[in-house]
Amino acid sequence: MAEKKKAGAFDIRIVIALLVGIYGVVLTILGITGSAAEVDKAAGININLWGGIGMLVFAALFVLWARLRPIAVADEDSAEQ
């Protein structure tokens, strides 16, 4: 019987969470440091801040999903025998 390993850092969900998380941090910082003129252009909603927070929540959910339901891959050495 082949042994199974977790995909770990090579899980695509972790990569997606990392990319979305980086964009989320950038947008959150832009939302915090943004001017009132930018908020006025968006009908009074600080869209950078809310978009950044939403992206950070999305990234956190992806990491949680990857940790709770890891992908198991067959060990190549055991699978060949």
Side-chain angles (χ1 to χ4, degrees), residues 12-22 55 58-60 62-63:
I12 190 70
R13 296 172 292 184
I14 298 296
V15 175
I16 291 170
L18 178 67
L19 292 173
V20 171
I22 290 170
M55 290 177 117
F58 180 82
F62 255 57
V63 170

Side-chain angles (χ1 to χ4, degrees), residues 60-73:
L61 289 174
F62 255 57
V63 170
L64 182 66
W65 178 29
R67 294 293 177 232
L68 291 177
R69 301 201 35 112
I71 294 176
V73 234

